[in-house]
Amino acid sequence: MPNKNFYITTTLPYINAEPHIGFAKEIINADVIARYHALKGDDIFFNTGTDEHGLKIYQKAQGLGVSVDKYCDDSALKFKVLQELLNLSCNSFIRTTDVKHVAAAQEFWRRCEKNGDIYKKKYSTKYCVGCELEKTDSELVDGRCPLHPNAELEIIDEENYFFRFSAYQKKLLKFYEENPEFVVPNHRFNEIKNFVAGGLQDFSVSRLKEKMPWGITVPGDDNQVMYVWFDALVNYISCLGWPNETAEFKNFWPGVQVCGKDNLRQQTAIWQAMLMSAGVANSKQVLVFGFLTLNGQKISKSLGNTIDPRELVEKYGVDPVRYYLLKEVSTFEDGDFSYEKMEKLYNADLANGLGNLVARTSNLLEKNEIELQLVENSDTDFSRAVFAALDEYNFSEALKIVWEKIKQSDEFLSQTTPWKMTEKEQITNTLRPVAQNILNIAYCLQAFLPETAKKILRQFSYAQVKKGDSLFPKIV
RNA sequence: CGCGGGGUAGAGCAGUUGGCAGCUCGCCAGGCCCAUAACCUGGAGGUCGUCGGUUCAAAUCCGACCCCCGCAACCA
């Protein structure tokens, strides 16, 4: 079977806030998909990065008394370290301040302009710096932005460039119809279809440079910079080298994009219209994930209940954090995080489940000096069942199937009681299928818990398996 | 008539081509003793939000209503 090329990209988090657990979920989900495809033998391009332009960034840097460049460098680093922290398999980290991205965004603009989709218009509107957005009166509460009541609204009265979004209503609807798998899950697809069918308004895609210098200069107009959204979306192809006819771009675009549910419009409508305008192929698929709550409450800075992935990883380890987000939180619906649930799940599934099974089995193997020849992925019915759930992005179900195998193995040991046996051959024959199960489990877990899978594969690759350290010490 | 999600055992959830109501945690009783005080077996516990309809049969399909939670060109 020839290798296929598989491209997946996250959205780029905006660097004005610390990385939070919601984005961790998004990127871990993407990582599982990428690792799964790698396991199948596909060639992978896995992109993430940072979104760094816009007024909010500019003002924040000024407030801190540092140069914008330095502020961006420092902030981008906080996101880049997630790759190691969360054990991600990304091979591309793009920053919207990268030279190649800036050039790509400008070329993208030129193509949209050439196609007649960018025009200049004078307008006046209220603008919330906190949201980086213009606000309509209907969105305001007491004349203030409800999300940022402490920020003064700015009245913008200027001439900006607009993108002819309205021209793409029919084309988008046709595209959706022709690609029934384009947005997953289906209820999000319906949502965006309804939105587009309801009519589209052109939106502004530039700002006056004198008011907002931190952006990419509009080609042919030194007085204007691109609106941050317009510039940022181009990253999904600039990271592949576009507009150059690179091998990466030819081999990997179009790809799969993932995003949080707040980003539905940007990814599935605005960006798709932009691609059509620039004459670039549309994305292959967009996966729209749910949100996380913390102890049942919405996570937000104003509530002060944000949670830093680094803190979690330091406390529990990478794989337990990945496990929680994959098993306990459904892929497309909202989910909840709490330390209490984290620790319960850790003990039940990782310490008492997988960790204990590996410990008791390897201990019996070592103590009885059993030698085995095991085969990786010997039970293809099992791995197929796991992968079938993965094909539907149902990570929780996939892990459930794996854990059923763990339970079966524990049951088998209890029934056969190999620790009572005296004949080495009998012990060997009893432990062999259990050890083989563990190896098969580890094979499948490579997509989910890469570190743990690696440890087990290594431990069970020797003819004489040793007990080794416990994988997940119980939390007491 | 804005859009969407949800309401299933004490808690957290799974379960729609309609067919005996499931999983994890917790609780009770027993077993085992290789293993990380772990593991195995059995048990208690649910009028599947409410009301009505279709059907031999409804958590699942249809209609009305109640209650929670997001979103509303916007935050992952």
Side-chain angles (χ1 to χ4, degrees):
Chain A
M1 199 168 73
N3 289 2
K4 285 187 289 187
N5 296 315
F6 182 78
Y7 172 42
I8 188 163
T9 177
T10 68
T11 52
L12 300 193
Y14 200 49
I15 54 166
N16 82 315
E18 300 288 315
H20 84 62
I21 189 168
F23 180 66
K25 171 179 143 80
E26 175 181 329
I27 199 161
I28 287 169
N29 284 352
D31 186 54
V32 172
I33 297 165
R35 286 181 185 275
Y36 165 50
H37 278 268
L39 208 52
K40 288 202 299 189
D42 294 351
D43 286 333
I44 309 296
F45 197 98
F46 179 9
N47 176 58
T48 186
T50 42
D51 180 4
E52 305 184 6
H53 289 121
L55 192 55
K56 228 189 299 191
I57 305 291
Y58 184 71
Q59 290 180 336
K60 194 137 184 181
Q62 282 190 321
L64 291 170
V66 297
S67 72
V68 196
D69 288 318
K70 171 147 176 52
Y71 176 72
C72 287
D73 287 348
D74 292 349
S75 304
L77 196 61
K78 291 179 187 170
F79 287 87
K80 189 148 193 189
V81 297
L82 289 180
Q83 289 182 36
E84 205 171 323
L85 185 79
L86 299 174
N87 199 0
L88 306 169
S89 59
C90 338
N91 65 314
S92 168
F93 187 90
I94 189 143
R95 299 176 53 183
T96 56
T97 49
D98 285 347
V99 176
K100 76 170 180 183
H101 173 78
V102 171
Q106 288 176 325
E107 178 58 23
F108 199 94
W109 177 288
R110 278 188 213 101
R111 298 207 186 176
C112 291
E113 189 173 38
K114 197 174 168 193
N115 202 20
D117 290 325
I118 289 179
Y119 62 95
K120 229 174 179 181
K121 189 171 106 178
K122 200 168 232 163
Y123 76 117
S124 165
T125 185
K126 291 168 181 144
Y127 183 83
C128 173
V129 173
C131 300
E132 289 267 10
L133 273 180
E134 296 133 23
K135 293 282 163 176
T136 58
D137 287 333
S138 65
E139 293 177 83
L140 303 177
V141 176
D142 298 331
R144 288 173 166 274
C145 169
L147 299 175
H148 303 89
N150 297 324
E152 286 297 327
L153 284 167
E154 293 182 5
I155 303 294
I156 295 181
D157 186 13
E158 63 183 61
E159 196 169 36
N160 286 146
Y161 291 96
F162 276 69
F163 178 71
R164 214 179 289 281
F165 193 33
S166 58
Y168 288 90
Q169 183 184 17
K170 280 182 185 162
K171 287 172 190 166
L172 284 169
L173 290 173
K174 183 162 176 276
F175 173 68
Y176 296 153
E177 200 175 320
E178 287 167 356
N179 296 276
E181 306 277 302
F182 179 61
V183 180
V184 179
N186 215 270
H187 65 258
R188 294 283 169 231
F189 203 3
N190 289 335
E191 200 175 332
I192 198 63
K193 282 176 187 166
N194 288 338
F195 168 70
V196 173
L200 301 177
Q201 287 172 32
D202 297 352
F203 56 89
S204 78
V205 288
S206 74
R207 293 286 178 271
L208 267 183
K209 196 183 273 184
E210 61 186 39
K211 288 187 188 170
M212 212 297 284
W214 189 237
I216 298 176
T217 302
V218 167
D221 188 341
D222 281 345
N223 296 319
Q224 301 253 352
V225 298
M226 291 180 202
Y227 183 44
V228 60
W229 281 109
F230 189 93
D231 131 37
L233 288 166
V234 178
N235 92 84
Y236 306 127
I237 56 175
S238 68
C239 72
L240 295 168
W242 187 92
N244 299 315
E245 286 290 314
T246 58
E248 275 85 12
F249 183 72
K250 275 189 278 191
N251 291 337
F252 289 103
W253 186 257
V256 174
Q257 298 184 215
V258 303
C259 67
K261 65 181 183 182
D262 56 297
N263 245 279
L264 180 70
R265 284 173 187 173
Q266 268 72 34
Q267 308 304 329
T268 67
I270 294 176
W271 170 232
Q272 302 309 317
M274 285 166 63
L275 285 166
M276 289 171 177
S277 177
V280 179
N282 286 103
S283 310
K284 185 160 51 176
Q285 192 172 50
V286 182
L287 310 180
V288 187
F289 301 142
F291 273 9
L292 275 177
T293 54
L294 184 60
N295 296 313
Q297 274 192 315
K298 184 181 167 174
I299 298 177
S300 77
K301 276 194 291 181
S302 56
L303 285 172
N305 65 346
T306 55
I307 191 160
D308 182 355
R310 186 177 341 190
E311 186 188 316
L312 288 179
V313 170
E314 276 166 12
K315 191 162 181 187
Y316 301 109
V318 200
D319 280 354
V321 172
R322 290 174 63 109
Y323 185 76
Y324 184 100
L325 294 174
L326 294 165
K327 175 75 191 301
E328 195 68 15
V329 180
S330 84
T331 313
F332 297 112
E333 303 305 321
D334 291 355
D336 186 55
F337 180 87
S338 77
Y339 283 100
E340 196 191 342
K341 278 192 267 191
M342 173 79 223
E343 298 191 359
K344 268 186 179 171
L345 191 72
Y346 177 100
N347 279 338
D349 288 8
L350 298 176
N352 299 347
L354 179 60
N356 185 56
L357 175 67
V358 169
R360 67 196 300 210
T361 307
S362 55
N363 180 59
L364 288 167
L365 288 169
E366 179 173 354
K367 217 163 62 177
N368 292 289
E369 298 180 339
I370 308 291
E371 299 222 344
L372 294 171
Q373 286 292 332
L374 302 173
V375 183
E376 210 171 89
N377 192 25
S378 70
D379 185 353
T380 50
D381 284 348
F382 169 64
S383 54
R384 253 202 299 272
V386 174
F387 294 157
L390 263 179
D391 281 328
E392 292 177 357
Y393 308 112
N394 194 340
F395 306 129
S396 182
E397 177 64 22
L399 288 168
K400 209 169 139 194
I401 294 167
V402 174
W403 256 255
E404 271 162 22
K405 187 65 87 182
I406 292 172
K407 191 173 173 57
Q408 280 169 24
S409 303
D410 274 326
E411 284 169 19
F412 180 79
L413 285 176
S414 292
Q415 282 161 16
T416 53
T417 60
W419 50 88
K420 287 181 182 169
M421 297 171 181
T422 48
E423 295 298 315
K424 189 164 177 178
E425 193 186 338
Q426 195 189 10
I427 299 173
T428 305
N429 288 337
T430 306
L431 292 180
R432 182 185 294 112
V434 177
Q436 183 61 65
N437 274 349
I438 291 173
L439 197 66
N440 291 338
I441 285 164
Y443 174 80
C444 292
L445 284 182
Q446 288 176 98
F448 303 91
L449 311 178
E451 190 180 278
T452 304
K454 199 168 152 188
K455 280 187 197 165
I456 299 175
L457 287 174
R458 193 183 159 81
Q459 186 181 5
F460 282 73
S461 67
Y462 297 102
Q464 167 68 76
V465 175
K466 302 284 184 207
K467 187 173 178 193
D469 297 331
S470 75
L471 290 170
F472 304 104
K474 187 157 181 167
I475 299 171
V476 284

